[in-house]
Amino acid sequence: MSIPILSTKLYIPSPRSQAVRRPRLTERLDAGLSRKLTLISASAGFGKTTLAGQWLAGCGRPAAWLSLDEGDNDPARFLAYLVAALRTVAPNIGESVLGVLQSPQLPPIEAVMTPLINEMSALATPFILVLDDYHAIESEPIHKAILFLLEHLPPGWHLVVATRKDPSFPLSKLRVRDQLTELRVSDLRFNHAEASLFLNRAMDLDLSPESVALLEARTEGWIAALQLAAISARGRQDADGFVRDFTGNHPHVVDYLIEEVLQRQPENVQKFLLGTSVLERMCGSLCDAVLGRKEGEPAGQTVLRSLEQANLFVVPLDDERRWYRYHHLFAELLQRRLRQVGGEAELHGRASVWYEEEGFELEAFRHAAAAGDVDRAERLIEGRGMPLLFRGAAVPVLDWLKSLPEPELSARPGLGVMYASAMLFVGRLADVEPRLQSAEAALQLTEPDDRGRDLIGHIASIRATIAVAMHQADVIMEQSRRALDHLHPDNLPVRTATTWALGYAYQLLGDRAASGRAYAEALAVSEKIGHYIVAVMSGIGLGSVQEEANRLELAEVTYRGVLQKAGDAPLPAFCEAHLGLARIGYQRNELDAAWRHWQASARFAPLLESTDRALACELFLFRLKLAQGDEAGASAALAKAELLAGQHGFSHRLSEIAAARAELSLREGDLKAAAESARSHELPLWQARVCLAQGDWPAAAALLEPLRLRMKELGWEDERLRATVVEALARAGAGDGELAMSLLRDALAMAEPGGFVRIFVDEGEAMKRLLSEAQKRGIKRGYVAKLLAAFPSDIPKAQPLIEPLSERELEVLRLVAQGLSNQEISERLFLALSSVKGHNRNIFDKLQVQRRTEAVARARELGLL
């Protein structure tokens, strides 16, 4: 589900008959198309919107238009309207951004904009994008988004910003680079010729040249003031006398003109203007509802059209002339007058009712909040089956809740729970628990009923979600069960989110079957009710469980389904799904595909703050680099993963890091370090591998057999497969060929359905010999042949040295051959500079040379490089 888009914000204003043609400005706008940005910056009433619409009508380029207001400071709302505007010229653009908007916490804005810009670049025809009334935007994330768009604007595209104040863009830099066209007050104000055309031809006043000059001088060419003055002068016998009086003695020009305009209108028009000033946009039926139109009174649509014909500061927002808005300056002054006479709350309340009946629940909520109707606003937040919070409205809801006095919140536990939920959505985790405790205290003072019981369940669900972020399985289990026990059966959005959290707890506890069932249930229900974010996260959880069950074919389908839901959205789901596909590609020995998916995941992982996504990417890169034979790259990736774990306290990742460190130590021949890594984190599989490296086959088998049986008992199929593969090597090394072959047969049976390759190839020559024996015995001939073909064909030559170079010394030697300095080698391999110098001395001694150049030449002679 999503909040409906008001298409009136996307309408490009058509040139009006009263508009004065201004070729001196449109020619400058045409010339500016070769630059990135046109800035039309001036205070209210200088014709910025009219000029832009007039220019677009004649420039011959397709354009997308977005009119902004204060309600668009919510980044999610802004992005939804931005995509809607772009879709007026490119109908299928922006699926990636729309997928993000219902996430609990919007990712960094650069990450959201990147896929959208990529889609813009792919379009055959570049467009003009106009952001009108940009001064309404105060949100720093939105400023960052537009600046990011401007910096990466595709060739041929052009951005136009119309605003009352300069945006926080680096304008001086844009000027120096000749990427900016500027139109300001001095450009936009009417000169004498334009003022004369406007007053005498467009407004039909027939003023003398002297009166035009006086009025132009008094207003300094301010178009809105000229228009207000012209309206006031209409119908006067001595229009020139009015102009002389106006220009001479009235310091508060606008206040005077508004009084003149309002007082000269019939009473019913004045009532209409004041009553509808609470509306950002108006249509006939909305005006009728707000004003409580009685039988016999003119219909709202008729009045709106008459106001437009009278040029009374109404602006049409669509071609059908159904929706209108007031000129901003006029609206502000009407609202000031309304505050003086009173009645705002009742008008907002009627607007809220109309919007709700029409299905615009967010707009209905905004007007209920403005009316001070807390009961109605609270009900609207809860939504029709799906709370507004779950539909991208966390920011406006939170802003309203902040505005309420504390006694009001304390007396309404439902609002307290909603407050906590909104803070959870925007990532303010530390502020959630105090709100929950306050809501609990308020609940204790109320009579027990179904709603109170449901709120208790919602509180527990929020606590379970916080525990997910902390990887606290016991807390998740306790709070999730409490939530499901108390939540109303019809509260599917919160029940489904709770079921997803329960799935994560089961996964942390190792109950993979229960985890899979919970994820599958949450996925099915969330898809049915349109709970986008839970559907995506449940899909990720289900895919990981399928991976753990060695069902790579199912996991691939699940991950691709998640990406289809998310588009190119830079959610954690985006990173996780691509990383899952990278792991699957790796196991199938499709290293190019694995690399592409890793890149897609790693592109956004560092932007997802307070998560371990970047660390997970580095651990996978370690594995991929080893497969590519780049041990230096693998070492660097592992060092970065260790650094991230230490900086952010990712203790739940330490076992994986220790396993990777043990593997690297084994490759370097440092058995002592490998044994310590395996022992300190109780990693029996790697303790067994150390035994294999030492030639202690019985000790390895003694570790592996109980591990394999335990994994089978638990149903941990991925760990069972790994233990079976390594135990087959241990039995073969111990001379028990039949048991080794039996274990290998079991491993092949488990691995073939998923297309596993690397789990065998990564074991090296010992596994290649074992597979060759299996091939001779006719065991799974086709699959075994595929595995054998995947082993490297080039076996490294033995070093023709009395004392061979170690793996680390070879790494240093390769970097020396690339021309790196000792300092650069130190940084690349995360070694102390003194260690690099020590390795150099050892290399020189073993190669019997004195200089780096001699070492490289000697190494090439020996085939070491």
Side-chain angles (χ1 to χ4, degrees), residues 260-331:
E260 283 288 303
V261 171
L262 285 176
Q263 289 178 2
R264 292 174 66 86
Q265 303 305 316
E267 184 178 348
N268 67 312
V269 173
Q270 291 187 44
K271 178 182 176 182
F272 185 95
L273 293 171
L274 289 176
T276 56
S277 67
V278 300
L279 303 172
E280 292 181 0
R281 295 163 191 84
M282 304 169 288
C283 68
S285 60
L286 174 56
C287 292
D288 291 341
V290 169
L291 295 174
R293 174 176 169 260
K294 298 179 177 62
E295 187 176 352
E297 293 181 344
Q301 201 67 32
T302 302
V303 177
L304 287 170
R305 287 176 180 170
S306 67
L307 292 176
E308 181 189 5
Q309 291 168 359
N311 203 28
L312 270 175
F313 300 102
V314 293
V315 180
L317 296 176
D318 54 32
D319 291 323
E320 293 77 21
R321 295 302 202 261
R322 180 170 182 262
W323 285 89
Y324 293 83
R325 68 168 174 84
Y326 288 120
H327 184 285
H328 295 310
L329 178 63
F330 193 55

Side-chain angles (χ1 to χ4, degrees), residues 615 619 638 641-643 645 650 653-662:
L615 188 153
L619 284 176
L638 179 56
E642 291 172 327
L643 181 64
F650 294 139
R653 289 284 189 177
L654 294 180
S655 292
E656 294 174 74
I657 293 173
R661 179 56 66 189

Side-chain angles (χ1 to χ4, degrees), residues 469 471 608-616 641-657:
H471 313 287
L608 300 171
E609 299 176 3
S610 302
T611 76
D612 61 357
R613 295 304 82 209
L615 188 153
E642 291 172 327
L643 181 64
L644 289 170
Q647 287 177 338
H648 300 286
F650 294 139
S651 58
H652 61 289
R653 289 284 189 177
L654 294 180
S655 292
E656 294 174 74
I657 293 173

Side-chain angles (χ1 to χ4, degrees), residues 61-74:
R61 290 274 292 273
W65 184 285
L66 177 56
S67 296
L68 299 166
D69 56 53
E70 287 77 10
D72 297 324
N73 277 286
D74 177 9

